[in-house]
Amino acid sequence: MEVGAFFSSLKNCFKSITRIGTDDPRRVLHSLKVATALTLLSIIYWGRAVYGITRLVMSVMTVVGVFEFSVGGTLCKSVNRICATLIGGALGVAEQHLATALVEIEETVLLLILVFILGAITTFFRFFPKIKAIYDSGVVIFMTTFLLVAFSKHGVEKIFERLLTILIGIITCTLISIFIWPVWAGEDLHILLASNIETLANCLIGFEVNYFDNQIRDKSVLQGYETVLKSEATEESLTNLARWEPAHGFFRPRHPWNQYKKIGAFIKKCASKIESLHDYLNPEIPISSEFKFKIKKPCSRIITELYKALKVISSSTEIMVHPSAAKRHIEKAKAAAEELNFFLETVSLEEAKFLSIIPVGTVAFILEEITQLVEKIYQSIAELSELAEFKNVGEVTVSPEKPHVS
Amino acid sequence: MEVGAFFSSLKNCFKSITRIGTDDPRRVLHSLKVATALTLLSIIYWGRAVYGITRLVMSVMTVVGVFEFSVGGTLCKSVNRICATLIGGALGVAEQHLATALVEIEETVLLLILVFILGAITTFFRFFPKIKAIYDSGVVIFMTTFLLVAFSKHGVEKIFERLLTILIGIITCTLISIFIWPVWAGEDLHILLASNIETLANCLIGFEVNYFDNQIRDKSVLQGYETVLKSEATEESLTNLARWEPAHGFFRPRHPWNQYKKIGAFIKKCASKIESLHDYLNPEIPISSEFKFKIKKPCSRIITELYKALKVISSSTEIMVHPSAAKRHIEKAKAAAEELNFFLETVSLEEAKFLSIIPVGTVAFILEEITQLVEKIYQSIAELSELAEFKNVGEVTVSPEKPHVS
């Protein structure tokens, strides 16, 4: 039995390994890239007695600490590491100059006081969320460089040697990161945005099929809004990293990365509205079928048009074309929402029970709010496409069929 | 002018420093603790030529890498660092044994292949979210130990020396972390939970005052639900760290940390329902004041009772007493919800416009859902208090006055 349990847990482990790899095969490539950098540096320092093992270890530390998944991450960490080395080295040299006027015991006290003060300050600064995210590994480098220079009385040439080792490590990482299967944070952010918009479209149409047609659909599609809501942290870190990246492909210098935050905020709001919609799929909530049937037509029209609009926005974002083709779908959705509003204002309610009408009315109400949000998403993407000078030609259309029909 | 701008940015910088410090003064203490550990280790290795500067640098790396804010964090990182050193060292020794049978060029090739394979594997494993969170810094230690042992033909005694240096660093950190102003992740988690429940209570009563009494309240209280929704990641990491901590104060060994996740999930759901409620404070939404006046009494009763229940649950959680005193408030809230339900079922709607009634009806509907969720929060906290053997005696009561009245 125990052998069986061992094999099943081994199987699970293997499964999660393959899932991590197949979810994004670039992860495997990244691992190979890091391994290549490590091996290259091992070859460089191999057998060179003058550099010795400490240089190799320092290079390995540089690679492991600097080589991030995206180009932006690698560049950000590299700059941070160079700065930490320079500042630590400079402080160490300053301490040496200060110490020349002191006797040994005085210098010891001075050094210990400096260690205490610098230790306290660097630790305290890690509590700043922004510094924590970017400069964390720099603290180690800063402190060790300072200590090496101050304690062991390294001269300026030793500091340059140390800097050179780190630079060789960083250059190796940067070159491999940029030129061998590069992973651009900016591109990932752009694609994430487009795919989030598509997910919203699918969730909306999934809700319609489920609510108005009583068909049960794939739950993973239905709950896509959760993925969208959870992607906030990823989006933020990608935006921060994208700023570090040089122009590449369609992304020119000074690409308006700030606009992505604005669009992302509207997408999040829309996703949380869709989440509220999906709450009303709960079969325990009393629903007046009669009233639902009455509002089905305008609601379906709103959803279908919003679906088309979101699909067009998503695909035109993806290929970097102005989303103007979505405009008429949004207009149609707004017209349908007006119609629904008019119906709700004039409907007579004498025959139905209020308790079972509220939830249906709320669904209609939320759909109207979603219409407004989709228009805001459209406007912010249109702004982006103007700022980033997307192509204006060519219309992106979407097949009028719903994906679940096929 | 430029001098003025410089001084204002300096002032801002100073402000945010004091804010980080005053938000949680333990941060300042933590910085001083880390600085103390660094200074102590500097004194230990000071002038000992036999250990030399590399030992000092390794200790500093250990302190900076291991000394976390909470005791749990420090212990987790310490164990991880020791394991990484042991595994790296063992692999290095194994390589040495393998290499005895090889000529030099063969050994070089073997080593480079091993560097490549280990580099690729360790990098790949960082993509597992769980490993990333806990074992990240261990990767550097593992690789450098392996390389030091394998490349420089360190014997077993050298490895033990390295391990000893790391151990001295870790013991210093752990002792300072546990015995000088300790910060327990478990305690923080417990207090966070209690304060989140209190925030929900304040948000609810804030909504009532705003919606039914048309008074505008402090916006920071109103939007407390955002803080609660955002605390998910903090909660998760605190739960993971709390498991590492030894028994302390009221927290016995095998404290049911898993239960906190369950409670947290209900709190999150409740917060997101309160978020939906607050959407209806938007003045652009048409509201039938007449209908609102009709449901005001039962809704206010629900909210007041839920407020009291949440306050009692929060304060009894904080002092680790069974929340049984909240039971009757929940029963009263449920009775009021029944009453509201009956009213909604029997209300006549002929005179009012449906469009302005839906939003009000939805508010009533969401309040009923919140009542159910508060009961679930109560039940899960009651479960926790049984699992963790909270005191059963003594009733926690809450003053019947609303806080905003005072």
Side-chain angles (χ1 to χ4, degrees):
Chain A
M1 269 309 278
E2 279 194 352
V3 177
F6 172 74
F7 273 111
S8 90
S9 73
L10 203 72
K11 209 174 142 189
N12 276 338
C13 183
F14 189 73
K15 246 187 208 164
S16 60
I17 289 175
T18 36
R19 196 174 40 73
I20 289 279
T22 46
D23 271 4
D24 191 346
R26 295 178 306 173
R27 289 172 176 162
V28 180
L29 294 180
H30 173 70
S31 307
L32 296 177
K33 278 156 72 179
V34 174
T36 310
L38 286 172
T39 316
L40 271 179
L41 287 167
S42 301
I43 293 172
I44 290 177
Y45 291 109
W46 182 258
R48 297 206 184 188
V50 63
Y51 291 114
I53 184 75
T54 44
R55 293 272 165 264
L56 175 58
V57 169
M58 206 191 296
S59 304
V60 170
M61 277 176 58
T62 310
V63 172
V64 176
V66 152
F67 209 144
E68 291 284 311
F69 188 53
S70 65
V71 176
T74 309
L75 290 176
C76 166
K77 287 253 170 127
S78 302
V79 171
N80 153 25
R81 203 154 262 243
I82 294 172
C83 290
T85 312
L86 284 177
I87 298 173
L91 270 176
V93 172
E95 192 278 338
Q96 283 182 17
H97 279 277
L98 254 175
T100 45
L102 302 173
V103 295
E104 206 188 321
I105 184 75
E106 286 173 338
E107 203 204 330
T108 311
V109 173
L110 172 73
L111 254 180
L112 291 179
I113 291 173
L114 276 177
V115 167
F116 188 88
I117 293 174
L118 290 179
I121 291 177
T122 47
T123 310
F124 186 74
F125 273 90
R126 286 166 92 180
F127 286 112
F128 288 84
K130 275 186 191 165
I131 293 179
K132 171 90 186 156
I134 306 179
Y135 301 102
D136 215 13
S137 73
V139 174
V140 188
I141 303 302
F142 165 75
M143 282 302 284
T144 52
T145 311
F146 167 73
L147 284 172
L148 272 176
V149 176
F151 272 60
S152 63
K153 308 256 171 279
H154 278 171
V156 177
E157 67 280 6
K158 272 266 185 184
I159 303 171
F160 277 116
E161 210 177 281
R162 187 175 161 86
L163 200 62
L164 187 71
T165 315
I166 292 177
L167 272 180
I168 292 175
I170 284 175
I171 290 168
T172 315
C173 292
T174 315
L175 289 180
I176 294 179
S177 174
I178 294 181
F179 292 107
I180 305 180
W181 305 304
V183 174
W184 301 99
E187 217 173 284
D188 276 11
L189 175 65
H190 195 86
I191 292 170
L192 178 64
L193 211 75
S195 96
N196 274 350
I197 296 173
E198 200 186 346
T199 309
L200 292 186
N202 291 334
C203 283
L204 259 184
I205 209 89
F207 170 78
E208 193 214 337
V209 181
N210 215 305
Y211 191 76
F212 290 107
D213 303 343
N214 292 317
Q215 289 173 28
I216 289 158
R217 251 199 120 198
D218 185 8
K219 230 182 167 183
S220 67
V221 177
L222 265 176
Q223 296 182 335
Y225 57 84
E226 284 181 1
T227 331
V228 177
L229 288 173
K230 275 183 190 158
S231 67
E232 195 170 357
T234 318
E235 257 177 57
E236 209 181 301
S237 82
L238 285 178
T239 313
N240 288 335
L241 296 180
R243 288 181 219 283
W244 286 88
E245 289 174 353
H248 57 277
F250 290 108
F251 300 91
R252 308 177 199 197
R254 289 166 189 263
H255 190 77
W257 297 116
N258 269 333
Q259 184 70 13
Y260 286 77
K261 267 192 190 163
K262 202 173 151 188
I263 302 168
F266 286 128
I267 293 178
K268 296 289 124 48
K269 263 191 200 164
C270 193
S272 90
K273 286 286 165 205
I274 294 180
E275 187 181 22
S276 323
L277 265 192
H278 278 77
D279 282 351
Y280 290 94
L281 291 176
N282 183 350
E284 283 172 25
I285 294 176
I287 281 179
S288 152
S289 342
E290 193 193 344
F291 188 64
K292 194 168 91 170
F293 183 76
K294 277 186 187 164
I295 65 160
K296 182 184 167 178
K297 219 179 118 191
C299 284
S300 290
R301 260 188 59 207
I302 295 178
I303 292 179
T304 314
E305 292 303 330
L306 290 184
Y307 169 78
K308 285 182 194 165
L310 287 170
K311 278 277 185 183
V312 172
I313 296 173
S314 161
S315 47
S316 50
T317 305
E318 211 178 322
I319 56 173
M320 298 194 134
V321 165
H322 194 286
S324 50
K327 187 80 186 158
R328 61 191 165 96
H329 295 299
I330 289 174
E331 292 304 332
K332 279 185 194 168
K334 276 165 78 179
E338 281 288 317
E339 211 173 282
L340 178 63
N341 230 350
F342 181 74
F343 169 78
L344 291 179
E345 263 181 26
T346 52
V347 67
S348 91
L349 295 168
E350 286 153 49
E351 73 278 16
K353 273 191 184 169
F354 186 53
L355 198 64
S356 57
I357 289 183
I358 306 175
V360 184
T362 310
V363 165
F365 198 79
I366 297 175
L367 279 177
E368 288 175 17
E369 289 179 311
I370 291 178
T371 311
Q372 289 170 15
L373 281 169
V374 171
E375 194 179 12
K376 279 183 185 158
I377 293 176
Y378 167 76
Q379 285 162 350
S380 56
I381 294 263
E383 251 173 69
L384 171 72
S385 73
E386 277 148 32
L387 288 169
E389 299 175 29
F390 284 3
K391 278 165 284 178
N392 236 325
V393 287
E395 275 227 337
V396 183
T397 48
V398 64
S399 74
E401 285 163 73
K402 299 172 191 176
H404 61 277
V405 177
S406 62
Chain B
M1 267 313 274
E2 276 191 358
V3 177
F6 172 74
F7 274 109
S8 88
S9 73
L10 204 70
K11 207 173 144 192
N12 278 338
C13 183
F14 189 72
K15 248 189 207 163
S16 58
I17 289 175
T18 37
R19 196 174 40 72
I20 290 278
T22 46
D23 271 3
D24 191 347
R26 298 178 304 173
R27 288 172 176 163
V28 180
L29 293 180
H30 173 71
S31 307
L32 296 178
K33 279 156 72 180
V34 175
T36 310
L38 286 172
T39 316
L40 270 179
L41 288 166
S42 301
I43 294 173
I44 289 176
Y45 292 108
W46 180 258
R48 298 205 183 188
V50 63
Y51 291 114
I53 184 75
T54 44
R55 294 273 166 261
L56 176 58
V57 168
M58 206 191 294
S59 304
V60 171
M61 276 176 59
T62 310
V63 173
V64 177
V66 153
F67 209 144
E68 291 283 310
F69 188 52
S70 66
V71 176
T74 309
L75 290 175
C76 165
K77 287 254 170 122
S78 300
V79 171
N80 152 25
R81 201 155 264 240
I82 295 172
C83 290
T85 312
L86 284 177
I87 300 174
L91 271 176
V93 173
E95 191 278 339
Q96 282 182 17
H97 280 278
L98 252 175
T100 45
L102 302 173
V103 296
E104 206 189 320
I105 183 77
E106 284 172 339
E107 202 203 327
T108 310
V109 174
L110 172 72
L111 253 180
L112 291 178
I113 291 174
L114 275 177
V115 167
F116 188 87
I117 292 175
L118 290 179
I121 290 177
T122 48
T123 310
F124 185 74
F125 271 90
R126 286 168 90 180
F127 286 112
F128 288 84
K130 276 186 191 168
I131 293 179
K132 171 89 185 155
I134 306 180
Y135 302 103
D136 215 12
S137 73
V139 173
V140 188
I141 303 300
F142 166 76
M143 282 303 282
T144 52
T145 311
F146 168 74
L147 283 173
L148 272 177
V149 176
F151 270 60
S152 63
K153 306 257 173 278
H154 277 172
V156 177
E157 65 283 4
K158 271 265 185 186
I159 302 171
F160 278 115
E161 210 178 281
R162 188 175 160 86
L163 200 62
L164 187 72
T165 315
I166 292 177
L167 271 179
I168 291 174
I170 283 175
I171 290 168
T172 314
C173 292
T174 316
L175 289 180
I176 293 180
S177 174
I178 294 181
F179 292 107
I180 304 181
W181 305 303
V183 175
W184 302 99
E187 219 173 282
D188 276 11
L189 175 64
H190 195 87
I191 292 170
L192 178 64
L193 211 74
S195 95
N196 274 351
I197 296 174
E198 199 186 345
T199 308
L200 291 186
N202 292 334
C203 284
L204 259 182
I205 209 89
F207 170 77
E208 194 215 336
V209 181
N210 216 306
Y211 192 75
F212 289 108
D213 303 344
N214 291 318
Q215 290 173 26
I216 290 158
R217 250 199 119 198
D218 184 9
K219 229 182 169 183
S220 67
V221 177
L222 265 176
Q223 295 182 337
Y225 58 83
E226 283 179 4
T227 331
V228 177
L229 287 172
K230 274 183 189 159
S231 67
E232 197 170 356
T234 318
E235 258 177 57
E236 211 182 300
S237 83
L238 284 178
T239 313
N240 288 335
L241 297 180
R243 288 181 219 285
W244 287 88
E245 290 175 352
H248 58 278
F250 290 107
F251 300 91
R252 306 172 200 205
R254 289 167 190 262
H255 191 77
W257 298 117
N258 269 332
Q259 185 69 13
Y260 287 76
K261 264 190 192 165
K262 204 174 148 188
I263 303 168
F266 286 129
I267 294 177
K268 297 286 126 48
K269 263 190 200 161
C270 193
S272 92
K273 286 287 166 203
I274 295 180
E275 187 180 23
S276 324
L277 266 191
H278 280 77
D279 282 351
Y280 290 95
L281 292 176
N282 183 351
E284 284 172 24
I285 294 175
I287 282 180
S288 152
S289 341
E290 192 191 345
F291 188 64
K292 193 168 92 171
F293 183 74
K294 278 186 187 165
I295 64 159
K296 182 184 167 180
K297 221 179 115 193
C299 285
S300 289
R301 262 188 57 205
I302 296 179
I303 292 179
T304 313
E305 292 302 329
L306 290 183
Y307 169 77
K308 286 180 193 166
L310 287 170
K311 277 279 184 179
V312 172
I313 296 173
S314 162
S315 46
S316 49
T317 305
E318 214 178 318
I319 57 171
M320 297 197 138
V321 166
H322 194 287
S324 51
K327 186 79 187 162
R328 62 192 167 96
H329 296 300
I330 291 175
E331 291 306 331
K332 279 187 194 167
K334 277 165 77 180
E338 281 290 316
E339 211 175 282
L340 177 64
N341 230 351
F342 180 75
F343 170 78
L344 292 178
E345 263 180 27
T346 52
V347 67
S348 92
L349 294 165
E350 284 154 48
E351 73 278 17
K353 271 190 181 172
F354 186 53
L355 198 64
S356 57
I357 289 182
I358 306 175
V360 184
T362 310
V363 165
F365 197 78
I366 296 176
L367 278 177
E368 288 175 17
E369 289 179 310
I370 290 179
T371 310
Q372 288 170 17
L373 282 170
V374 171
E375 196 180 10
K376 279 183 184 159
I377 292 176
Y378 167 75
Q379 285 162 352
S380 56
I381 294 265
E383 251 175 71
L384 171 72
S385 73
E386 278 148 32
L387 288 169
E389 300 174 29
F390 283 3
K391 279 167 284 179
N392 235 326
V393 287
E395 274 226 335
V396 182
T397 49
V398 64
S399 73
E401 285 163 70
K402 299 171 189 174
H404 61 277
V405 177
S406 61

